[in-house]
Amino acid sequence: MADNWRSKLITAGVARSPNRAMLRAVGFGDGDFEKPIIGVANGHSNMNPCNAGIQPLVDRAMQAIDAAGGKPQVFGVPTVTDGIGMGTEGMKYSLVSREVIADAIETSVNGQMMDGVLVIGACDKNMPGGMMAIARMNVPAIYVYGGTIKPGNWKGRDLTIASAFEAVGAYTAGKMSKEDFEGVERNACPTVGACGGMFTANTMSSSFEALGMSLLGSSQIASPDPEKADSAAESAKVLVNAVRKNIRPRDIITRKSIENVVSLVMATGGSTNAVLHYLAIASAAEVEWTIDDFERIRLRTPVICDLKPSGKYVATDFHKAGGVPVVLKMLLDHGLLHGDCMTITGRTIGEELKALNPVRRTDQDVIHAWDDPLYEQGHLAILKGNLAPEGCVAKITGLKSPVITGPARVFDSEAETMEAIIGGKVKAGDVVVIRYEGPKGGPGMQEMLSPTSALVGAGLGESVGLLTDGRFSGASWGMVVGHVAPEAFVGGPIALVKEGDTITIDAHKQLIQMHVSDEELAKRRAAWKQPAPRYTRGLMAKYVKLVSTASKGAVTDRS
């Protein structure tokens, strides 16, 4: 068992009796003070479909903890909703909420000296925020994903939330009828659960299986399905055992296990946000990991899953096809998975896969055969050049050619960009630059799903480049490059781009370059002045002062 401070209350005598008295008021009896207290970090909220189905999972988990001999204590964890906030000032709080979630969990668990914690969340920042807290605290822990949404349907077409955003571009471009536009909006989200493609929520939840911090096969289950609650109960039992055996997160979160994660993310076509979040998780676990490590693994890992946003299938299809365990077994069989990495069960991931024995079925094409990949190499390319000396992330799935050279169309906010796209002012061959949307400049590095979806809906997804010091939704696809660092607000080269400058994005060469001489850039730098911060008080002002560059994960507890 982990160090159990409550056992000291038994022997501390009179001095500790007030602690026991307060715990009795919340249901502790004489025998409970010797049990490990297991925190249950509850992300339930009816603010969004992602988190609206979590409470039944919390209830099952708490029952299972009690039955396994632990003492559960539930506490709330905040969330915001990317899909609802997208394109508004509220979206700036999305990445900020990752830090708030991590801080909230750390505060409750360490403040009450809990022996372990089961974290349940579902929206995009719930997962990395929870895992960052787990890595920081290093008490036995497990992550339970709230589950994916089931696909919507309109006229025989499977829908996700990305369908609704893309419909905006298609409708305004005259490519979609009002009937279909309204039909997509009304039918895109039919149940509770997180967005249904291999977007950020499902990318992060599936990665936790590869990391060893969630049970195999648990991440792509639909939120309303009974097996999701069964999985939460099983996770709780595994956690109580981990507390007794003192299996801690930093025994599991290592450089090798993060390599496993990145191999899985590449193979499944996961979100660009995985780069930002695993830089942050590695930092929290004090594991040496840099942005260049993603490129190293990308070059050796094929994309074998045909999943939305650029592919055909949704998360529930992936689960039916065998899901993450099948992909992990394929990676293991081809030397791209470290089978000796420890998991929260106390067994290695290789041992878990051997016991489960997942086999790729030949009657499905969600998961391709190893010798028939969608792409020979991974889809998240790390680019560098005079526009991004610290690096940036390009998502290159769904493209015939991940190379473009064109004139810069420069905008200092997402809102300005949307006006130009909807107004038909962005043309094929342009390279759209959205700046002052970075961690400090936004602040909060908001996602650019609205402009990317509008471009796709207008038929410009492959013919227009878009680069930003902000982020992209996992639902974004096209010629998109995000996390450009250093960001514009601190004087990064993206701040020096002028309308009409020629820019090259070349994923084959891992290059992002503006064709402007060093002398001209020096003149522009001398004339540049940092804009006033957009927030001067409150949470956002504190965030601006603390947040690191995107190339270090945009974290707030390191420089």
Side-chain angles (χ1 to χ4, degrees):
M1 185 186 296
D3 296 336
N4 187 341
W5 69 275
R6 269 149 307 282
S7 65
K8 298 174 183 176
L9 300 187
I10 306 298
T11 58
V14 175
R16 289 296 188 182
S17 62
N19 305 83
R20 291 187 301 226
M22 295 188 76
L23 289 170
R24 289 184 193 279
V26 293
F28 276 63
D30 287 341
D32 292 329
F33 296 101
E34 296 178 351
K35 296 177 181 178
I37 288 188
I38 309 296
V40 179
N42 183 359
H44 176 80
S45 167
N46 66 1
M47 289 166 59
N48 58 55
C50 316
N51 292 49
I54 286 177
Q55 190 59 48
L57 309 185
V58 170
D59 295 339
R60 281 291 300 280
M62 291 183 70
Q63 292 167 8
I65 289 168
D66 189 66
K71 194 67 178 172
Q73 289 191 318
V74 66
F75 58 91
V77 178
T79 188
V80 299
T81 310
D82 293 10
I84 295 173
M86 202 74 70
T88 73
E89 193 73 6
M91 185 60 198
K92 293 180 179 180
Y93 282 84
S94 169
L95 186 60
V96 179
S97 77
R98 185 190 73 178
E99 310 304 303
V100 174
I101 289 164
D103 292 349
I105 295 170
E106 179 185 351
T107 298
S108 292
V109 173
N110 283 353
Q112 297 302 115
M113 295 182 286
M114 294 173 177
D115 297 300
V117 61
L118 182 147
V119 183
I120 306 185
C123 205
D124 289 7
K125 305 310 171 296
N126 297 178
M127 268 77 71
M131 195 57 65
M132 288 162 64
I134 286 169
R136 281 185 204 166
M137 298 180 301
N138 201 33
V139 300
I142 196 166
Y143 202 99
V144 175
Y145 180 43
T148 183
I149 199 169
K150 293 187 176 182
N153 189 277
W154 177 247
K155 295 184 176 179
R157 173 191 168 205
D158 277 351
L159 303 176
T160 68
I161 188 60
S163 308
F165 280 93
E166 290 172 9
V168 173
Y171 181 61
T172 55
K175 297 176 180 291
M176 178 179 283
S177 69
K178 184 177 181 182
E179 177 196 6
D180 287 339
F181 177 68
E182 293 178 347
V184 169
E185 182 267 317
R186 291 186 174 122
N187 293 280
C189 298
T191 70
V192 297
C195 299
M198 190 49 70
F199 309 155
T200 303
N202 283 321
T203 296
M204 295 307 296
S205 64
S206 62
S207 78
F208 289 173
E209 291 188 46
L211 188 63
M213 292 300 300
S214 289
L215 299 186
L216 284 184
S218 67
S219 69
Q220 305 297 291
I221 303 170
S223 181
D225 288 353
E227 64 175 321
K228 183 72 254 188
D230 294 341
S231 176
E234 181 61 27
S235 298
K237 290 191 286 185
V238 167
L239 175 58
V240 174
N241 182 62
V243 171
R244 293 195 169 110
K245 291 186 175 181
N246 198 22
I247 301 171
R248 296 181 180 252
R250 294 194 189 185
D251 300 328
I252 299 167
I253 305 173
T254 64
R255 184 172 174 83
K256 288 171 67 175
S257 69
I258 294 177
E259 287 190 348
N260 287 349
V261 162
V262 178
S263 293
L264 186 279
V265 169
M266 296 295 178
T268 55
S271 168
T272 54
N273 284 307
V275 175
L276 193 76
H277 296 328
Y278 269 96
L279 286 167
I281 291 166
S283 175
E286 299 186 73
V287 171
E288 182 183 346
W289 190 262
T290 72
I291 194 169
D292 295 319
D293 287 312
F294 292 94
E295 183 65 18
R296 173 173 57 85
I297 294 173
R298 180 187 80 83
L299 293 173
R300 71 189 193 199
T301 310
V303 180
I304 58 173
C305 295
D306 192 2
L307 298 168
K308 290 180 181 293
S310 61
K312 297 179 189 176
Y313 297 105
V314 296
T316 50
D317 297 322
F318 184 38
H319 183 61
K320 290 174 187 174
V324 174
V326 169
V327 177
L328 290 176
K329 183 61 164 55
M330 293 171 72
L331 290 168
L332 180 67
D333 289 346
H334 290 86
L336 296 180
L337 193 83
H338 300 290
D340 58 346
C341 288
M342 179 64 67
T343 75
I344 190 61
T345 65
R347 297 180 291 274
T348 67
I349 195 163
E351 290 169 337
E352 290 290 327
L353 288 169
K354 183 176 181 180
L356 194 61
N357 193 29
V359 177
R360 179 189 172 272
R361 300 197 329 265
T362 57
D363 63 345
Q364 55 79 42
D365 62 348
V366 183
I367 306 170
H368 281 217
W370 191 264
D371 58 1
D372 180 33
L374 279 83
Y375 307 94
E376 296 287 344
Q377 295 177 324
H379 63 299
L380 301 180
I382 305 302
L383 313 185
K384 291 186 177 181
N386 68 355
L387 244 176
E390 292 179 12
C392 56
V393 186
K395 188 174 188 178
I396 56 178
T397 45
L399 299 175
K400 294 175 184 175
S401 175
V403 179
I404 189 170
T405 295
R409 302 297 314 282
V410 183
F411 304 95
D412 287 347
S413 71
E414 181 193 29
E416 289 180 20
T417 314
M418 277 300 291
E419 288 180 14
I421 295 171
I422 297 299
K425 296 177 181 178
V426 174
K427 307 297 183 183
D430 287 345
V431 177
V432 173
V433 178
I434 310 176
R435 62 190 179 189
Y436 295 104
E437 291 288 7
K440 291 180 180 291
M445 209 179 178
Q446 63 180 327
E447 294 176 346
M448 304 294 155
L449 180 58
S450 295
T452 59
S453 297
L455 288 171
V456 169
L460 298 171
E462 291 200 55
S463 59
V464 170
L466 192 155
L467 65 92
T468 179
D469 52 7
R471 296 181 297 127
F472 293 109
S473 166
S476 292
W477 70 279
M479 181 67 74
V480 296
V481 180
H483 313 188
V484 170
E487 63 174 292
F489 187 79
V490 300
I494 189 174
L496 309 180
V497 181
K498 289 187 176 181
E499 186 82 7
D501 286 347
T502 300
I503 292 177
T504 292
I505 301 168
D506 189 334
H508 294 315
K509 296 180 179 178
Q510 293 91 54
L511 178 69
I512 183 164
Q513 192 84 358
M514 56 176 162
H515 299 281
V516 178
S517 70
D518 292 343
E519 292 78 13
E520 174 61 21
L521 289 177
K523 290 179 184 177
R524 294 182 188 182
R525 182 170 300 285
W528 178 82
K529 293 182 180 179
Q530 185 178 62
R534 290 172 173 165
Y535 292 82
T536 57
R537 297 293 302 273
L539 172 63
M540 301 299 271
K542 290 189 286 186
Y543 183 82
V544 170
K545 290 179 181 178
L546 294 172
V547 68
S548 75
T549 179
S551 65
K552 293 184 178 179
V555 296
T556 55
D557 61 348
R558 63 175 288 185
S559 59

